[in-house]
Amino acid sequence: VQLQASGGGLVQAGGSLRLSCEASGTTFRDYAMGWYRQAPGKQREYVAGISSGRTTTLADSVEGRFTISRDNAKKTVYLQMNSLKPEDTAVYYCNRGGRPSLASLGTSGQWGQGTLVTVSS
């Protein structure tokens, strides 16, 4: 399984970015997909997840600002990030769950390489 994340960059506070994560070597539609992030000096944290049935969850810190979606035909999961804040600065990683459910996220060991998001104040 390969997960290729892209879309990061430098943006001013209040701006928007859309991250993409394209999967290969896997039956994408059968698995939950998620986004995590790791800021400098901090542990990796959960950001958003989407099950194979398109149920979504968001961390409280991004609720109302971020949206996760998936396109099974393109084997791609997206993270739309609006109203970005400096505290959103981090390397963002996509993850493929081990099963269709959101509960499987973070447990499969299937991680992308990360894409850096920097939000300036």
Side-chain angles (χ1 to χ4, degrees):
V1 177
Q2 289 189 328
L3 301 172
Q4 183 68 42
S6 62
L10 174 63
V11 63
Q12 289 188 332
S16 298
L17 283 173
R18 188 176 81 155
L19 305 184
S20 300
C21 176
E22 183 176 2
S24 60
T26 180
T27 51
F28 179 82
R29 67 170 60 86
D30 294 336
Y31 296 96
M33 296 295 298
W35 288 96
Y36 291 72
R37 67 186 181 187
Q38 187 166 19
K42 295 187 177 181
Q43 290 188 332
R44 189 173 298 187
E45 65 175 1
Y46 176 81
V47 176
I50 184 166
S51 71
S52 64
R54 300 181 187 272
T55 298
T56 63
T57 62
L58 294 165
D60 290 344
S61 58
V62 305
E63 183 74 51
R65 300 187 297 122
F66 291 12
T67 304
I68 187 170
S69 61
R70 64 190 297 159
D71 184 332
N72 288 340
K74 296 182 178 180
K75 293 190 174 183
T76 300
V77 61
Y78 302 98
L79 185 68
Q80 178 66 44
M81 307 186 295
N82 299 328
S83 302
L84 282 161
K85 304 175 181 181
E87 51 263 45
D88 294 318
T89 295
V91 177
Y92 284 71
Y93 298 90
C94 60
N95 173 253
R96 195 211 74 175
R99 298 186 304 279
S101 67
L102 290 164
S104 70
L105 288 173
T107 64
S108 72
Q110 304 295 343
W111 295 92
Q113 86 288 1
T115 185
L116 176 62
V117 172
T118 303
V119 185
S120 63
S121 58

